[in-house]
Amino acid sequence: MRSLDTPDRGLDASPVRALQRCALCAPGEVCFFCDSQTAAAVNSGDMIVADRRVRRGESLFRTGDAFHFLFAVRGGIFKTVRNLGDGREQVTGFQMAGDILGTDAIGGHVHESDAVSLDESRVCAIRYAGIERLGRALPQMHDLLRKAMSGELAKQQSVILLLGTMRAEERLAMFLLTLSQRFKARGYSPTEFTLRMSRLEIASYLGMKIETVSRMFSRLNAEGLISARREQIRILDFAGLTRCVRRNAH
Amino acid sequence: MRSLDTPDRGLDASPVRALQRCALCAPGEVCFFCDSQTAAAVNSGDMIVADRRVRRGESLFRTGDAFHFLFAVRGGIFKTVRNLGDGREQVTGFQMAGDILGTDAIGGHVHESDAVSLDESRVCAIRYAGIERLGRALPQMHDLLRKAMSGELAKQQSVILLLGTMRAEERLAMFLLTLSQRFKARGYSPTEFTLRMSRLEIASYLGMKIETVSRMFSRLNAEGLISARREQIRILDFAGLTRCVRRNAH
DNA sequence: CGTCCAGTTGACCTCCATCAAAAAGTGTGG
DNA sequence: CCACACTTTTTGATGGAGGTCAACTGGACG
């Protein structure tokens, strides 16, 4: 009930807190650490934070890299790709402003996935050792981090449900609804947006083949639920899309 | 490469640290907070920790419950079940000694899944407020928690890959290999064990139907890789099972 | 010994993958 | 600006893995 009725807690949605901008964020940007308390710490220089831009196609980190930094996405969009070792790989998520990258490497000290920018992106690189140290003086930051990681866990569980229980059409409908939600939360139009990821990347993320993704786009088009032409998406019927996710049940 | 070559970092595997038992753990038990430092804090009464047994079929928490406690599994086994709201649901994981439960609710303050015991289980219930408070004096505990959550994220990503890219036979082979690994890490036989979960629960977890699970068990049997009779499993050929996971690639 | 439930096996069908080709963009050099 | 190569997306035709439905098997328990 919850994940469908409250889509902002559903698949890959991330609650973007309406917080004060931190010292590093430019107007129009939000980042994970945008919090007055935390921003103060950043200013005071207690924590090593580096502003960084990442070009389309560039990686923040790759599988096997030693873990030193967490990354707070301030603008643009990333994909994370995880490798199975036999040539197979899968996109495990898309991250945009307000999202955090690298948390899955805290435990193993090594990144288990690639983070690739799909756009001109801006991030803050935050030295993890600094976070560990600073937490004593600034417990809010640790709280923020735990909440973000907990949110990641919940998001991934939604992906697991999508992959484990949904049919192709539902998956795509869910994907579009979630994207729409995320754009809305960031102040962009929820009804009209441009896909930054290719059909291949969508297919990988949704556990299907590129042809099937294409067919499902066409089908949603034919049903009058969306108007999709290549990367340009307009959602025409939210209720219909939501019904589409539910109806294939059982 | 990594997830197959180093199975203990693969699907649902959890590195069980060989640490000193904490004050609450009985001989033969391990828990998440088994750490001399942490154990001391537990003893000193700084953190509210309650020992608790959970009977087969009982829940630790249910979807919608307010979040107050994390649970450290000391013995037995749990499943977490997440609901899609239209009748569909899926088992998102199995947790045994050393694993932690409830972390996905830290962000939203509400549990988004059910945690059900599949056995006579023992857990420590740890008041989350206590963890937040105690972290200042005992940073190791926060570190432990972050690492555990990070490990959860990595585990779930492996599940996402399993659901997104693997065929039915591979999924079951992977499941058995991972279980074996987890038993081994806990000092039990990796070659011979009893499944505590039903075929239905396995099917749900692996995103397939009960009939398919049954067929795949039969197939692995026929191939001489395992000897499975109902819940009693013996692994006859580890290399063969591993090859089975790889071979269906592409 | 019959009932019940979990698991297995069989027969059939559907959804999606696969293979193939056309269509629509994108980029490059003349 | 056009011709040509090349990539990405769409559409079509076909087949196969796994879902569905149904019957059977084998423990567990009264």
Side-chain angles (χ1 to χ4, degrees):
Chain A
M1 226 147 291
R2 295 198 61 79
S3 37
L4 289 176
D5 291 346
T6 55
D8 28 54
R9 298 210 36 74
L11 170 67
D12 223 352
S14 30
V16 177
R17 298 163 304 283
L19 294 172
Q20 283 193 267
R21 283 209 325 270
C22 72
L24 283 166
C25 276
E29 295 182 341
V30 222
C31 88
F32 169 70
F33 284 104
C34 277
D35 177 333
S36 47
Q37 296 274 357
T38 312
V42 169
N43 278 332
S44 78
D46 257 349
M47 186 169 48
I48 297 150
V49 176
D51 180 17
R52 187 170 154 192
R53 7 208 92 231
V54 193
R55 253 175 260 285
R56 188 185 165 89
E58 276 184 9
S59 298
L60 273 180
F61 52 79
R62 283 178 216 270
T63 308
D65 286 358
F67 167 69
H68 293 302
F69 297 96
L70 291 178
F71 297 94
V73 183
R74 279 164 35 215
I77 183 164
F78 288 85
K79 66 171 174 181
T80 43
V81 183
R82 205 177 151 114
N83 212 294
L84 213 49
D86 53 8
R88 287 179 290 188
E89 59 174 36
Q90 186 173 2
V91 173
T92 51
F94 298 106
Q95 294 78 27
M96 23 200 297
D99 292 337
I100 193 165
L101 271 162
T103 47
D104 54 340
I106 292 176
H109 304 293
V110 167
H111 288 285
E112 298 286 351
S113 56
D114 302 359
V116 184
S117 175
L118 302 179
D119 206 344
E120 309 298 300
S121 302
R122 288 132 290 149
V123 303
C124 283
I126 305 141
R127 187 171 285 282
Y128 183 67
I131 290 186
E132 277 191 311
R133 191 165 23 80
L134 201 63
R136 233 157 303 177
L138 207 68
Q140 294 89 340
M141 168 174 307
H142 274 183
D143 189 44
L144 222 52
L145 181 56
R146 275 194 303 271
K147 282 184 174 149
M149 292 179 70
S150 171
E152 291 289 306
L153 280 164
K155 273 203 271 186
Q156 288 195 358
Q157 283 168 14
S158 298
V159 176
I160 289 175
L161 253 74
L162 177 139
L163 293 171
T165 68
M166 291 190 175
R167 324 197 138 266
E169 190 182 15
E170 301 180 82
R171 293 187 194 190
L172 185 59
M174 188 73 172
F175 174 69
L176 292 174
L177 283 172
T178 307
L179 261 190
S180 160
Q181 199 62 39
R182 296 176 82 183
F183 283 125
K184 188 179 177 188
R186 282 162 183 78
Y188 301 111
S189 165
T191 58
E192 206 162 355
F193 46 86
T194 307
L195 294 179
R196 285 289 182 265
M197 58 290 281
S198 69
R199 293 286 189 269
L200 198 65
E201 286 158 343
I202 296 173
S204 172
Y205 179 60
L206 297 179
M208 41 209 246
K209 295 292 153 177
I210 184 174
E211 296 95 328
T212 310
V213 171
S214 189
R215 272 184 247 276
M216 293 307 132
F217 265 116
S218 303
R219 189 190 291 182
L220 293 179
N221 259 323
E223 294 174 312
L225 301 178
I226 65 173
S227 159
R229 222 185 127 249
R230 302 230 143 207
E231 65 270 16
Q232 209 55 40
I233 307 292
R234 190 182 329 175
I235 298 187
L236 302 175
D237 183 356
F238 277 96
L241 268 186
T242 308
R243 242 179 291 116
C244 166
V245 175
R246 286 179 194 274
R247 80 158 164 240
N248 294 353
H250 210 158
Chain B
M1 226 145 291
R2 295 199 62 79
S3 37
L4 290 176
D5 291 345
T6 56
D8 29 54
R9 298 208 40 72
L11 169 68
D12 221 353
S14 31
V16 178
R17 298 162 305 282
L19 295 171
Q20 282 194 266
R21 284 210 326 270
C22 71
L24 283 166
C25 276
E29 295 182 340
V30 222
C31 88
F32 169 68
F33 284 103
C34 275
D35 176 335
S36 46
Q37 296 273 356
T38 311
V42 169
N43 276 334
S44 78
D46 258 348
M47 186 170 49
I48 298 148
V49 176
D51 178 17
R52 188 170 153 193
R53 4 209 94 232
V54 193
R55 251 175 262 285
R56 187 186 166 89
E58 276 184 8
S59 299
L60 273 179
F61 51 80
R62 282 179 215 269
T63 307
D65 285 359
F67 167 68
H68 294 300
F69 297 97
L70 291 179
F71 298 94
V73 183
R74 280 168 30 219
I77 183 164
F78 289 85
K79 66 171 175 182
T80 42
V81 184
R82 204 176 152 115
N83 213 295
L84 213 49
D86 54 8
R88 288 180 289 189
E89 60 175 34
Q90 187 173 2
V91 173
T92 52
F94 297 106
Q95 294 78 24
M96 24 199 296
D99 293 336
I100 193 165
L101 271 161
T103 48
D104 54 339
I106 291 176
H109 304 292
V110 167
H111 288 284
E112 299 285 352
S113 56
D114 303 359
V116 184
S117 177
L118 303 179
D119 206 344
E120 310 297 301
S121 303
R122 288 132 289 149
V123 302
C124 285
I126 304 141
R127 188 172 287 281
Y128 183 67
I131 290 186
E132 276 191 312
R133 190 163 26 77
L134 201 62
R136 234 156 304 177
L138 208 68
Q140 294 91 339
M141 169 174 305
H142 274 183
D143 189 43
L144 221 54
L145 181 55
R146 276 193 304 270
K147 282 184 174 150
M149 292 178 71
S150 171
E152 291 289 306
L153 280 164
K155 272 202 274 187
Q156 287 195 358
Q157 283 167 15
S158 298
V159 176
I160 288 175
L161 252 75
L162 177 139
L163 293 172
T165 68
M166 290 187 175
R167 320 195 140 271
E169 191 184 13
E170 299 181 82
R171 295 186 193 190
L172 185 59
M174 187 73 170
F175 174 69
L176 292 175
L177 283 172
T178 306
L179 260 190
S180 160
Q181 199 62 39
R182 297 177 82 182
F183 283 125
K184 188 180 176 186
R186 282 161 182 79
Y188 300 110
S189 165
T191 57
E192 206 161 354
F193 45 86
T194 306
L195 295 179
R196 284 288 183 265
M197 58 290 279
S198 70
R199 293 287 188 269
L200 197 64
E201 285 157 342
I202 295 173
S204 171
Y205 179 60
L206 298 178
M208 40 209 246
K209 296 292 154 176
I210 184 173
E211 295 94 328
T212 309
V213 170
S214 189
R215 273 183 247 276
M216 293 308 133
F217 264 117
S218 303
R219 190 190 289 184
L220 293 179
N221 261 322
E223 294 175 311
L225 301 178
I226 65 172
S227 158
R229 223 186 125 249
R230 303 227 148 208
E231 66 270 15
Q232 208 56 39
I233 307 291
R234 188 179 335 172
I235 298 188
L236 303 175
D237 182 355
F238 277 95
L241 268 187
T242 308
R243 243 179 291 117
C244 166
V245 175
R246 286 178 193 274
R247 79 156 165 242
N248 292 354
H250 209 161

